């Protein structure tokens, strides 16, 4: 989650993988300010088999708020920066919250 002030933070709420038919936890609410950007990614975008995942996530959390403010431009900056030569599936969804 990228706040309008440029602060990046990870949301740690999670449940089972989608499509498995397992029960999901109760929904969690996060207060957000107008203009907050939510960037959802699969692990394939940041996971590098020769590096610890925490290192890749730290790089991503530094690059995302430093990227362009417009969602399309942010996507176009993040995908090639992290998605080159990946062996896993990659998905990225970026939305601006009102």
């Amino acid at each position: 989650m990228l706040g309008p002030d440029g602060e990046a933070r990870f949301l740690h709420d999670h449940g089972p993988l989608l499509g498995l038919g397992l029960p999901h936890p109760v929904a969690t609410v996060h207060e957000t300010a107008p203009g907050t950007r939510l960037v959802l990614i699969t692990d394939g975008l940041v996971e590098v088999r020769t590096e610890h995942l925490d290192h890749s996530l730290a790089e991503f959390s530094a690059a995302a708020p430093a990227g362009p403010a417009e969602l399309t431009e942010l996507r176009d900056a993040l995908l090639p920066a992290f998605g080159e030569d990946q062996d896993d599936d990659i998905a990225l969804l970026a939305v601006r919250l009102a």
Side-chain angles (χ1 to χ4, degrees):
M1 182 178 299
L2 305 173
D5 59 358
E7 180 184 348
R9 68 182 175 108
F10 287 107
L11 302 179
H12 296 284
D13 309 299
H14 58 83
L17 296 173
L18 297 175
L20 294 181
L22 298 173
H24 290 274
V26 175
T28 303
V29 175
H30 293 274
E31 295 295 323
T32 60
T36 296
R37 293 173 290 164
L38 183 63
V39 181
L40 304 173
I41 63 170
T42 58
D43 65 339
L45 181 64
V46 295
E47 189 174 55
V48 177
R49 300 201 192 294
T50 58
E51 295 180 18
H52 195 278
L53 183 58
D54 288 343
H55 174 73
S56 298
L57 288 172
E59 286 184 346
F60 186 83
S61 69
E70 292 302 317
L71 298 177
T72 302
E73 293 172 8
L74 178 62
R75 177 205 62 204
D76 291 347
L78 293 174
L79 283 175
F82 290 90
E84 294 293 317
D85 300 322
Q86 296 293 59
D87 295 327
D88 201 355
D89 63 314
I90 294 173
L92 182 149
L93 172 68
V95 296
R96 185 175 318 280
L97 306 173

